[in-house]
Structure formats: C-alpha cells, structure tokens
Amino acid sequence: MQPSLGLFDSTMIVAGSMIGAGLFIVSADMARLVGSAGWLLGSWVITGLLTIAAALAYGELAAMMPKAGGQYVYLREAWSPLCGFLYGWTFFMVIQTGTIAAVGVGFARYFGTLWPSISENAYLIPPVHVTSTYAVSLSTAQLISLVIIALLTWTNARGINYGKLIQNTFTTAKIAGLLGVIVVGVVGWRILGGSNFTNMWQPRGYTPVAPGITPETIFGLIAALSIAQVGSLFCADGWNNITFTAGEVKNPRRNVPLSLALGTFIVIALYVGANLAYVAVLPLEKIQHAPADRVGGAMLQAIFPSIGASLMAVAIMISTFGCMNGLILSGARAFFAMARDGLFFRRAATINRARVPGASLMMQGAWACFLVLVRTYNPSTGVFGSLYSNLLDYVVSADLLFYILTIAAVFRLRRLRPDAARPYRAWGYPVVPALYILIAAVILAVLFVYRPATTFPGLVIVLIGVPAYFAFRRSSAAFASAK
C-alpha cells in the first residue's frame, strides 16, 4: 500500500469517524438517566477523559507497530492470535459494519426530512418474513442507505486519495457546522435565557436505573453515569480508526499518535460544547423528552422555528456522510490484516490496482448492506426494528472489553518487549492507562448487573468467533499444504 496520508488527513479520519448523528440524539436518554443538566455535562466530560486517555495510550502501540490492522494487531501481539481474531470477528460482524449500516440509515432518515417520500415505511418491497421475528424488506430509506454505502465503497476502492479527499471535505464541513451549533446555542441562551444553570445538579425527571436505584444517592448516581456512558461512548467511538490505516500514513510513528491526540481533543471539545448549547437553550425536561430524542433539532427549532428542522437535517446528512466514509476507508484495512494472517477470507488479503484492499472493501460493504436489509419483528406489538440496532446494543459492552484489553496491552508489552522501539510513550503512564482500565471496568460491571439483556448477548457474539477462528486456521493450513 502507498503512504499517502499526512497529519491533517489522519486527524480528519479520527475526527470524521467519530462525529456522526448520535451527538444530536443520545443526550435525551442520558438526561433521563442522570436527571440533571450538570451531570449530563459531567457524563460527556467523563467520556472525553476516557476517550483521550485511551487515545494517548493507543499512541504508544501505534508508534510501536505502524502496520495496517490497528487494534487487531495490538491484541494479537500482546495477548494471542485468538484474542486478536475475536476482536476482528466482532469488528466485522457488528462493530464496524453495524455502525456503517446505522449511519447509512441515519443519513436516509434525515434526508426524509427534506424529501418526505424517503421513509422506512415507504416500501418498495414490503417485509418478507424469514422467521416469526425476522424479515427482509426494502424501503426508500433502505435504498438510499444501500446506494450511499455502495457509492463510498466504490470511491474508496479507486484509491486512498479519493477517500481522503471526501474525508477532508466533509469532516471540515461538519466541524464548522458543530461550531455553528455552539455559537447558535450561545446566542440562543442570551435571547431565551436558559434555566438550567440554576440548581443544575439537582436530579429531577429521571428514569431510575432499577427500583430504588436513583441518581439522588451516590451509588445510584454512579450507576446512572455508568449506563449513560453507553450513549456517549458510542458517539465518541471511531477515534481508533486511523490505526487501521497506519500502513498508508506518512511517517506513521509520529503522525498516527499525534493525529489520535489532536482528533480526539477536537471532537471531545465540540461534543461538550454542543451539549453546553443544548443546556443553555432548552429546559431540562425538553432535553429529556425531545421529540424522537432529537435534542439537536429541538434546540435549533427553539431558535429558528421555521427552518430549524431543515438546518439540522442538512447538518446531520453532512456529518453522517463523512462518518461513513471514514468508517468504510479504515475498517477494510483490519480485515486485510486478518486475511494476511490466514484468519479471514483469502481474497481479502489482496491489493487492487489502486493499491488499496479492494476485495476487503467489497466484503465489508456487502455485509453492511445485508445488515441494512434485515429487519427484526416484535409479534406482540407488530413493530419492525433494525437488526443492526439490536446488534450494536449487544456489543457495546464487548467493545469496551476489547478497549480494556488493548490499553492493558501497553503494560504487557512493556514487560514482554522492554527493548522495542517506542518513539512515543503513553502520556501519564502508568497512572492514566490504569485509571482508564479501572473506570472502564466499573462501567462494564454496572452494565452486566443492570443491563444483562443487552450485555450477555454481546459476549455470545464474541464467543461464536472461537469456532470460526479454528475453521479459518484449518482452511489456511489446508490451503498452505495444497500449495
């Protein structure tokens, strides 16, 4: 592969892969959990500190192993090929492809605000039941999602320069858009006079984590903050995507760690600023009960009643388009690295004429499209859902577990390979990485106790990868002996 990404390009991949549509939605549920404007902002600050701490630790691993594959490679080298594969398996089956599908449908939903005929209920092919709880359909919104995924997959298959041009353009645009949202929030606060800055830590209007577990007690607040991290950490995810493309970064030992730090700092500052704008303009109860949880839209609607919804739709379409491009560009490199190790489909290990892993890009795009088409069905309510949405709920905890293992890899590799070249060393080692592991472990424990219905299925998805690992190993060994 050809090193074509400079520091600016790499930073735009970090920032662009992080910023999607979630920022404009998840704050409603977070506010219902923590019950106060102060702790809503505090939740985002916690997310920011965790994300930045993780990015600073990842920088050491990225500088040590500036290869395509990123987190898969770090887990393989620090723990075992099986551990690396289980991450890569979950990454392909759900984490990356499910996120691509979710962001694609998010793009289509907001396109429907401008063009009402685009809807998840406007069917070109009505749902066809595969089982009593699963179906396949094609709506106009699903069609738009498929077209966007196919377009960006094809564009990235033409070469890294096409992908980085799209990424730089759209990420710059959405950073400018978020800055605009923050400025509008400040102006709106001066005009509307937000009420959240008085008594901003007093819980009210909250949804208890469990009977008797409320944010009015210290334990209940810790539980609420931990569960609220599911939404904010999901929004902040994607910052590690640049590590998958390290083989195409110029001077990767310097630029990958630096882009991780710069990109995460920029995005976390924007996320906290945007939520400060929500709190400045909207009363807490309007944040907690925003229509369809669209807090960003509710804020703009409060300031611009006639065009607020359209402004937010355009902003989210720009945001999701750039986010999808970053995810598609980077994710395929992880599957390419797995295939080179004989732990994925052999075709994925090939490079096309444009010097990018074209086959890996196509496989990723095909699976993401499949996840868009499959619908879940609740027989008791008659409501159709989305397969990718359920899967993403399931693997949030598993994803957090892999992050903990990757940060722990910094400690393990310092012991196993003390003489390895480390052009960059994790800032604040060992305190900062250890604090990340501790806080993330607390969040994970709370999720297992209070959200078992969505955490344990995630572990099942990961463990299904164990027989898949041995199947790929047998296939690789048989192919090698045949040659």
Side-chain angles (χ1 to χ4, degrees):
M1 288 192 263
Q2 185 177 5
S4 304
L5 302 172
L7 178 59
F8 177 77
D9 308 319
S10 302
T11 304
M12 291 300 99
I13 289 176
V14 174
S17 299
M18 292 174 72
I19 305 171
L23 167 66
F24 307 107
I25 298 170
V26 301
S27 292
D29 187 54
M30 293 171 67
R32 290 193 293 268
L33 283 164
V34 299
S36 68
W39 284 116
L40 172 61
L41 296 174
S43 296
W44 284 97
V45 170
I46 292 169
T47 295
L49 294 175
L50 283 171
T51 304
I52 291 168
L56 292 173
Y58 263 61
E60 177 169 321
L61 300 172
M64 280 181 67
M65 296 169 277
K67 306 172 184 176
Q71 193 169 351
Y72 158 74
V73 174
Y74 311 152
L75 290 168
R76 180 194 70 193
E77 295 299 310
W79 302 106
S80 71
L82 175 59
C83 184
F85 174 82
L86 290 178
Y87 170 74
W89 162 267
T90 312
F91 192 67
F92 178 80
M93 295 299 294
V94 184
I95 296 172
Q96 196 78 347
T97 52
T99 305
I100 291 169
V103 175
V105 173
F107 175 93
R109 284 174 181 165
Y110 282 91
F111 197 2
T113 302
L114 306 177
W115 190 356
S117 60
I118 298 172
S119 167
E120 289 179 274
N121 297 319
Y123 290 111
L124 302 172
I125 301 175
V128 178
H129 280 274
V130 180
T131 68
S132 60
T133 54
Y134 292 98
V136 176
S137 70
L138 181 63
S139 65
T140 51
Q142 286 172 295
L143 178 61
I144 292 295
S145 305
L146 298 178
V147 168
I148 295 299
I149 292 170
L151 173 65
L152 290 175
T153 299
W154 173 76
T155 303
N156 278 282
R158 295 190 65 196
I160 189 71
N161 288 326
Y162 290 95
K164 79 175 184 182
L165 176 63
I166 294 173
Q167 193 66 22
N168 292 348
T169 302
F170 279 85
T171 302
T172 301
K174 61 186 174 180
I175 287 174
L178 276 177
L179 287 172
V181 167
I182 295 168
V183 170
V184 165
V186 173
V187 173
W189 173 61
R190 298 296 298 271
I191 296 172
L192 302 175
S195 60
N196 288 318
F197 296 111
T198 57
N199 205 18
M200 64 187 297
W201 303 100
Q202 180 63 43
R204 59 191 187 277
Y206 53 79
T207 301
V209 170
I213 308 297
T214 73
E216 295 190 80
T217 66
I218 293 176
F219 178 77
L221 178 61
I222 292 172
L225 286 169
S226 297
I227 295 172
Q229 292 302 301
V230 171
S232 51
L233 283 173
F234 179 75
C235 290
D237 204 8
W239 53 268
N240 61 332
N241 274 250
I242 187 59
T243 65
F244 302 124
T245 64
E248 293 155 284
V249 176
K250 300 173 184 175
N251 192 7
R253 295 183 184 275
R254 170 187 177 271
N255 287 339
V256 173
L258 192 52
S259 65
L260 281 167
L262 290 173
T264 51
F265 272 112
I266 290 168
V267 173
I268 294 304
L270 291 171
Y271 279 7
V272 174
N275 278 272
L276 190 59
Y278 301 159
V279 168
V281 173
L282 297 173
L284 180 65
E285 58 272 16
K286 290 195 174 182
I287 296 175
Q288 292 171 323
H289 304 291
D293 284 353
R294 296 175 181 176
V295 182
M299 188 203 77
L300 288 183
Q301 197 77 19
I303 300 171
F304 306 110
S306 59
I307 61 169
S310 297
L311 285 175
M312 183 51 63
V314 171
I316 290 180
M317 287 172 64
I318 293 171
S319 181
T320 51
F321 192 87
C323 181
M324 264 194 296
N325 184 74
L327 295 170
I328 289 169
L329 183 156
S330 55
R333 274 65 178 176
F335 316 132
F336 165 78
M338 292 170 64
R340 290 182 65 186
D341 290 341
L343 294 177
F344 201 60
F345 301 105
R346 285 190 293 274
R347 181 69 178 163
T350 59
I351 297 294
N352 65 13
R353 294 178 182 177
R355 296 187 182 182
V356 295
S360 183
L361 280 161
M362 297 303 170
M363 291 177 190
Q364 173 185 255
W367 187 250
C369 288
F370 171 78
L371 294 179
V372 169
L373 292 173
V374 179
R375 309 290 297 273
T376 56
Y377 179 71
N378 187 332
S380 62
T381 62
V383 174
F384 286 96
S386 303
L387 177 64
Y388 64 79
S389 180
N390 284 23
L391 294 176
L392 285 171
D393 285 343
Y394 294 156
V395 300
V396 164
S397 55
D399 198 20
L400 190 58
L401 176 62
F402 284 121
Y403 278 134
I404 291 172
L405 287 172
T406 308
I407 302 302
V410 175
F411 293 89
R412 182 168 172 80
L413 289 174
R414 289 249 184 142
R415 182 171 60 84
L416 294 179
R417 304 181 188 177
D419 298 325
R422 289 178 172 82
Y424 165 82
R425 288 177 175 264
W427 181 84
Y429 179 89
V431 175
V432 172
L435 281 174
Y436 175 91
I437 292 171
L438 176 62
I439 296 171
V442 169
I443 293 170
L444 194 59
V446 170
L447 290 175
F448 272 104
V449 172
Y450 293 106
R451 292 293 186 270
T454 55
T455 50
F456 282 102
L459 283 184
V460 173
I461 293 172
V462 174
L463 293 176
I464 291 172
V466 174
Y469 169 77
F470 290 105
F472 275 117
R473 283 192 60 180
R474 283 195 299 270
S475 175
S476 179
F479 180 74
S481 61
K483 289 180 67 175

